[in-house]
Amino acid sequence: VHIKTLKRTELTGGARINFIFREIFGQALRDINPLSGFSRSTLLTAIRNSSGVKSTIFIPDRCFELLVKRQIKKLESPSLRCAQLVFDEMEKHIDNCGHTINSQLRRFPKLRQRIISTLLEMLKIRIEITNDMIHQLINIHTAYINTAHPDFIVQNRQYNITHSTELCTVDYHNQSRNIVTFEGGEQIPNENSDDYVSYQCLIVERLIMSYFNIIRTAIEDTVPKTIMLLFRNNIAENLQSELVD
């Protein structure tokens, strides 16, 4: 942008896009509650449906996956909104440049109009491609819930969602009370008690929050990169060839 066209009262161009990535998009993701839409009764119903006729002291992994996928989908809307804000900023940037073009190409109105229309057409084409990729990013994270993710394992070593015996041992001195002791000494209450129901729901909540936060961090990093690669940078790299054609 020519130095005379720079505004001193608001962010424009690259500075505005950076603000969108860091502040607007980042805050929109942080505002999402990983447990929104889930009540204790909802969680308990999901656990029981996943268990079927069997009564289990472990949290079924199928239950966890279904619930966390639903929450990951909520990251799609702010991601698409981020791309739209970048589109709006670049469209406004083209409009601002249009005033400069008007003064320089006043004698060539058709050329001026062709330049502006070409730029706008490129924006529309690239935003569709970018949005499609954002959809795919969300689908990638819901296609496979990686409970073997290193961060997830570290954060949840004391919980078991895969029926593995590696993370827990049965306390045979308390078999009548059906107590399982995890690493660190945490114990499961009697499965017939109200405390056991609360315990199951609490574990599911913790697992959902843990995994959701991992994916939220990944989305906060990859969506801006996707927008820069497929949208902003692509237009900058191919603008000259498009105008020549």
Side-chain angles (χ1 to χ4, degrees):
V1 182
H2 194 276
I3 189 65
K4 293 182 179 180
T5 66
L6 288 175
K7 297 183 179 180
R8 298 182 180 181
T9 58
E10 63 181 38
L11 296 175
T12 61
R16 173 64 180 173
I17 292 174
N18 183 60
F19 179 80
I20 291 171
F21 289 157
R22 292 179 176 272
E23 301 297 332
I24 299 177
F25 178 54
Q27 188 60 51
L29 293 183
R30 289 189 290 272
D31 286 342
I32 299 176
N33 182 353
L35 300 177
S36 63
F38 292 149
S39 63
R40 283 296 174 93
S41 61
T42 301
L43 295 175
L44 183 58
T45 299
I47 293 171
R48 288 174 173 171
N49 285 338
S50 298
S51 301
V53 297
K54 297 176 62 178
S55 179
T56 176
I57 60 175
F58 298 112
I59 306 301
D61 53 348
R62 179 62 176 167
C63 166
F64 163 70
E65 289 184 5
L66 289 174
L67 295 175
V68 79
K69 284 180 181 180
R70 187 190 307 179
Q71 301 307 91
I72 291 174
K73 282 289 187 180
K74 295 181 180 180
L75 298 171
E76 184 171 2
S77 179
S79 299
L80 294 173
R81 176 60 179 163
C82 178
Q84 182 61 45
L85 289 174
V86 174
F87 173 89
D88 294 342
E89 177 58 31
M90 292 189 67
E91 189 176 45
K92 183 170 66 175
H93 196 58
I94 290 174
D95 183 61
N96 291 337
C97 291
H99 296 300
T100 303
I101 294 175
N102 282 338
S103 61
Q104 295 177 350
L105 299 178
R106 191 172 303 169
R107 294 181 299 168
F108 310 101
K110 291 184 178 181
L111 176 60
R112 175 186 59 80
Q113 185 58 39
R114 182 61 183 273
I115 292 175
I116 298 298
S117 62
T118 298
L119 288 170
L120 293 176
E121 184 63 24
M122 289 182 69
L123 285 183
K124 293 177 182 178
I125 293 174
R126 297 312 303 181
I127 191 62
E128 291 182 3
I129 295 174
T130 302
N131 285 341
D132 287 342
M133 186 60 198
I134 290 175
H135 285 301
Q136 291 303 316
L137 284 176
I138 301 299
N139 290 337
I140 286 170
H141 286 296
T142 57
Y144 176 61
I145 303 301
N146 182 19
T147 55
H149 190 289
D151 293 341
F152 186 71
I153 291 176
V154 169
Q155 295 174 21
N156 301 283
R157 285 185 61 84
Q158 70 269 41
Y159 307 124
N160 189 316
I161 63 172
T162 60
H163 302 279
S164 169
T165 59
E166 295 179 0
L167 299 183
C168 67
T169 57
V170 176
D171 185 348
Y172 291 102
H173 297 291
N174 294 286
Q175 275 189 314
S176 61
R177 296 172 57 200
N178 199 17
I179 289 179
V180 172
T181 302
F182 288 86
E183 290 183 355
E186 186 166 1
Q187 295 181 329
I188 297 178
N190 188 304
E191 64 175 311
N192 295 318
S193 68
D194 292 337
D195 288 340
Y196 178 71
V197 173
S198 297
Y199 179 86
Q200 283 190 311
C201 293
L202 178 62
I203 297 304
V204 173
E205 289 175 353
R206 290 179 179 177
L207 293 174
I208 291 174
M209 290 180 64
S210 175
Y211 195 84
F212 179 85
N213 287 335
I214 291 171
I215 303 304
R216 174 164 52 188
T217 299
I219 291 297
E220 187 174 0
D221 179 61
T222 54
V223 166
K225 291 177 179 178
T226 299
I227 294 173
M228 291 299 292
L229 173 66
L230 299 180
F231 189 55
R232 191 269 182 191
N233 291 357
N234 185 277
I235 292 176
E237 292 170 1
N238 295 287
L239 175 59
Q240 184 173 354
S241 61
E242 288 290 333
L243 292 176
V244 171
D245 293 341

